[in-house]
Amino acid sequence: MIQVNNLTFSYSKKPFIEGLSFEVKAGEIFGFLGPSGAGKSTVQKILLGMLPNYEGSAVVGSVECKKHGSNFYQNIGVDFEYSTMYEKLSARENLEFFSSLYRLRHRSIDELLMAVGLENDADKRVADFSKGMKSRLNFIKALVHDPKLLFLDEPTSGLDPTNSRLMKDMILEEKRRGKTILLTTHNMQDATELCDRVAFIVGGKLFALDSPHNLIMSKGAAKVTYTWIENGEQSASCDLTEMAGDKKLRNLIAENRLQSIHSSEPTLNDIFMEITGKTLV
Amino acid sequence: MSAAQTGTLHIPKVRKKDMRAIQISFLHMLKFMKKDMMLLAAGLSPLLMGAAIRLGIPAIDKALRSFTGLSQILGPYYSLFDIFYSAITPSMFCFVAAMVMLEERDDHIDRYLFVTDLGKRGYYISRIVIPALVAFVISAVLLPIFRLAVSSFAMILFLSFSGTLQGIIIALLVVNISSNKLEGMALTKCASLMMLGAMGPYFIERPSSHILFFMPSYWTGLVITEGRAIYVLPTVLVSVIWIVILSCGKFRRYT
Ligand SMILES: Nc1ncnc2c1ncn2[C@@H]1O[C@H](COP(=O)(O)OP(=O)(O)OP(=O)(O)O)[C@@H](O)[C@H]1O
Ligand SMILES: [Mg+2]
């Protein structure tokens, strides 16, 4: 669906995105993970043909992005990181207008509004929407023409847990319907849960690319952390596979002095730090 | 033209079937305008202004003449009023379009529309080219009704055309330089001063009046005062240079 080869781009004279190569397969959810300013949105904009001054190649569908024709956007749905709605118009007026621009396939606006729980706010001005409501509205706007490829820029940011759950379920539902989805996020949980594969990017460069599961398994082993009382609470940890060799732990078990004990797999966040040396956010 | 200017920038060609989205986008602008009192007023103002000129100026002229006893006061400048009027009508329409574009930029809608079936080129066609065409037609219809001096069909067409070019220049100036609607309104007032070039041929001796060569309206004034068709050329040329420069600036900006 998307092939990027040796992509190089910068807004200024200073190099920014350099030699980026990756491929997104049809039907998968591909995630861009990286701290703020990493270039996640920039790569999306390049793939959308909005920044034609790049070098290397970026092919979406079978079209080189900087040479796209007027049909290019028929099968692309975009949810930018900011709201892109007429603030003075109602939610319904907005969706109807954007939907009417497309010639092919239109999804029911009422059903979409219902799906994100906005059916009772459809006739309210967008200016009077809360941040989370705007995010949900922006998301369904990307779906009105039932595109094959979705670009979602931080779709879950600014949502409460309930709506974040709802949004993630909708994204997975779109995947089931056969869409290819490219999303950016700095939320590791979301990435782990949604993405078939993730790309770590920092400072415009790609650091790793694999499924969240493989990334977690390939690096860092599961750890056991335990606590006990000895001049206040103490804690220590060891690798799950080396538990038997941990003398302190064995003593504590023998003396029944353990306060707590739990094992934890490394999260994608730990892996990200290990690979890139940077934290997210 | 802008693609050639910026070298690497690619803007796809518009095919016939794309006109559908452009038409919807243009109609949407009209709907949007109806909801905004200021824009609606601006759109209707050419009618009021035309009536005021047609009825007011000859009456004032008559009163002044009988008061001073002079035989000529405003008479020689009647054609200047026609030039102004032919520029005001398209400028108002282009101003409305510019305001809508600024509001769309504030709401980040322009860049969203660029990635829909409408596309970047379609967007600019629906916000600049079509409003300008409509403005031209309306100007050509209203000018014969409200004119004071010009009479020939060719003159009316020429004035409507040069007025439309003036309107496009003002709209592009406003959209390029201002970053929001408020600035846009202030800037429109400044940009409208470009129309005053038409006064040059009436009030400044030649050749010192040529200092106004960079204003298209100056050449429009010359066409009328000198009655020589050759000045149509610089009118169009200077306008087109303005438009090309302003278009390139806009298309080059990152979105
Ligand atoms: N239009 C622009 N002109 C110049 N520089 C820009 C522009 N847009 C972004 N940048 C710069 O490019 C860099 C990457 O921005 P980008 O928006 O791609 O980051 P991001 O990874 O999406 O970050 P975030 O998680 O905060 O959205 C930043 O340093 C930013 O300042
Ligand atoms: Mg971003």
Side-chain angles (χ1 to χ4, degrees):
Chain A
M1 200 65 162
I2 298 176
Q3 290 92 31
V4 172
N5 219 318
N6 212 4
L7 180 71
T8 301
F9 171 83
S10 181
Y11 289 105
S12 57
K13 294 228 161 55
K14 235 176 77 204
F16 178 38
I17 288 172
E18 278 185 297
L20 204 60
S21 301
F22 60 90
E23 186 186 354
V24 180
K25 300 191 199 92
E28 78 173 333
I29 301 186
F30 187 94
F32 269 122
L33 270 167
S36 191
K40 306 183 294 294
S41 303
T42 304
V43 174
Q44 283 208 353
K45 283 188 209 162
I46 291 172
L47 294 176
L48 283 169
M50 295 167 76
L51 301 170
N53 301 315
Y54 62 81
E55 278 154 46
S57 90
V59 177
V60 172
S62 50
V63 181
E64 179 67 46
C65 295
K66 61 178 155 193
K67 297 193 186 131
H68 68 82
S70 58
N71 284 342
F72 186 66
Y73 297 112
Q74 247 168 42
N75 275 313
I76 293 180
V78 189
D79 179 7
F80 284 119
E81 56 194 322
Y82 36 74
S83 167
T84 50
M85 295 277 176
Y86 288 96
E87 298 277 324
K88 281 187 192 164
L89 303 183
S90 73
R92 191 188 303 281
E93 284 170 320
N94 267 292
L95 293 176
E96 275 167 0
F97 168 61
F98 289 112
S99 170
S100 70
L101 291 173
Y102 297 93
R103 276 178 308 123
L104 306 168
R105 292 194 302 271
H106 297 272
R107 271 168 80 170
S108 154
I109 285 168
D110 286 309
E111 276 170 28
L112 286 172
L113 284 164
M114 193 99 74
V116 290
L118 288 176
E119 66 274 17
N120 295 324
D121 304 292
D123 298 307
K124 224 190 244 176
R125 274 164 27 120
V126 173
D128 301 332
F129 271 36
S130 72
K131 191 162 174 258
M133 288 162 79
K134 280 186 190 171
S135 301
R136 285 180 273 154
L137 186 58
N138 262 292
F139 173 66
I140 55 173
K141 185 175 61 161
L143 303 178
V144 288
H145 55 300
D146 206 13
K148 291 199 179 82
L149 177 60
L150 278 179
F151 287 89
L152 309 176
D153 206 344
E154 296 178 26
T156 51
S157 80
L159 292 181
D160 59 52
T162 317
N163 280 310
S164 175
R165 180 71 265 147
L166 185 144
M167 182 79 93
K168 282 186 274 187
D169 288 340
M170 276 191 81
I171 293 172
L172 290 169
E173 171 62 23
E174 291 308 312
K175 183 194 167 184
R176 264 190 296 280
R177 294 169 57 117
K179 293 201 166 133
T180 308
I181 301 171
L182 203 141
L183 65 83
T184 73
T185 177
H186 14 216
N187 184 322
M188 283 295 164
Q189 267 100 45
D190 290 358
T192 317
E193 201 184 325
L194 294 173
C195 298
D196 297 304
R197 291 190 304 146
V198 291
F200 288 170
I201 92 169
V202 176
K205 281 167 214 68
L206 191 70
F207 278 79
L209 201 173
D210 209 335
S211 70
H213 180 79
N214 285 351
L215 283 168
I216 290 170
M217 288 305 145
S218 68
K219 300 269 171 178
K223 282 213 176 331
V224 173
T225 310
Y226 51 93
T227 61
W228 69 97
I229 305 281
E230 194 174 303
N231 303 326
E233 197 179 62
Q234 309 279 328
S235 87
S237 61
C238 66
D239 286 352
L240 183 65
T241 49
E242 328 238 285
M243 250 171 85
D246 189 315
K247 277 215 185 90
K248 183 80 207 169
L249 181 58
R250 275 168 49 192
N251 285 342
L252 289 170
I253 294 172
E255 295 163 20
N256 255 336
R257 280 173 55 211
L258 274 175
Q259 282 288 108
S260 73
I261 177 163
H262 61 267
S263 70
S264 60
E265 270 106 53
T267 62
L268 208 49
N269 208 6
D270 303 327
I271 307 299
F272 190 90
M273 277 186 60
E274 203 176 318
I275 295 178
T276 68
K278 292 247 161 50
T279 51
L280 285 158
V281 190
Chain B
M1 56 179 171
S2 58
Q5 291 286 327
T6 53
T8 50
L9 191 64
H10 171 81
I11 299 176
K13 291 224 165 51
V14 175
R15 276 178 268 163
K16 211 178 207 159
K17 63 181 196 313
D18 301 329
M19 279 311 290
R20 209 191 65 91
I22 292 173
Q23 194 184 339
I24 289 169
S25 163
F26 175 70
L27 293 176
H28 181 258
M29 182 174 93
L30 294 185
K31 255 188 264 166
F32 196 72
M33 183 182 145
K34 267 200 321 212
K35 292 200 171 199
D36 189 318
M37 280 312 292
M38 184 195 73
L39 297 185
L40 193 61
L44 295 177
S45 65
L47 281 175
L48 296 174
M49 210 123 47
I53 290 174
R54 184 78 182 99
L55 302 172
I57 300 296
I60 291 170
D61 187 39
K62 199 172 158 197
L64 283 176
R65 270 186 289 133
S66 67
F67 183 70
T68 58
L70 296 170
S71 65
Q72 267 201 340
I73 294 181
L74 292 178
Y77 305 114
Y78 274 16
S79 56
L80 182 58
F81 284 105
D82 287 342
I83 298 178
F84 281 146
Y85 185 66
S86 68
I88 285 169
T89 307
S91 296
M92 280 300 173
F93 280 96
C94 293
F95 162 73
V96 170
M99 287 301 121
V100 171
M101 287 170 78
L102 287 178
E103 184 149 352
E104 284 172 330
R105 193 195 286 162
D106 282 350
D107 290 351
H108 304 297
I109 286 164
D110 52 351
R111 56 194 90 169
Y112 188 79
L113 289 172
F114 293 169
V115 298
T116 64
D117 258 4
L118 181 63
K120 193 172 198 164
R121 183 170 285 238
Y123 177 72
Y124 287 118
I125 290 177
S126 73
R127 292 288 179 273
I128 293 178
V129 179
I130 296 185
L133 286 177
V134 170
F136 172 72
V137 171
I138 292 182
S139 182
V141 168
L142 292 184
L143 193 55
I145 302 174
F146 297 124
R147 79 205 148 91
L148 292 179
V150 297
S151 51
S152 79
F153 183 64
M155 266 315 175
I156 283 171
L157 278 189
F158 166 68
L159 282 183
S160 303
F161 183 62
S162 74
T164 301
L165 292 176
Q166 180 71 79
I168 296 174
I169 293 170
I170 293 175
L172 288 177
L173 265 175
V174 170
V175 171
N176 265 307
I177 299 176
S178 44
S179 46
N180 56 49
K181 246 176 116 178
L182 212 67
E183 268 181 56
M185 276 186 268
L187 211 99
T188 306
K189 290 185 196 123
C190 298
S192 304
L193 296 178
M194 294 239 343
M195 291 185 208
L196 297 185
M199 292 170 75
Y202 289 84
F203 297 105
I204 308 175
E205 296 282 318
R206 239 93 337 135
S208 33
S209 65
H210 288 324
I211 196 160
L212 299 174
F213 75 96
F214 62 93
M215 295 172 138
S217 64
Y218 169 70
W219 299 101
T220 310
L222 273 182
V223 173
I224 303 292
T225 52
E226 310 276 296
R228 287 176 59 189
I230 186 74
Y231 290 121
V232 171
L233 230 62
T235 311
V236 176
L237 194 71
V238 175
S239 300
V240 168
I241 290 174
W242 273 96
I243 291 171
V244 167
I245 291 174
L246 290 171
S247 306
C248 292
K250 173 161 45 58
F251 289 129
R252 197 179 286 155
R253 180 180 292 171
Y254 287 117
T255 43

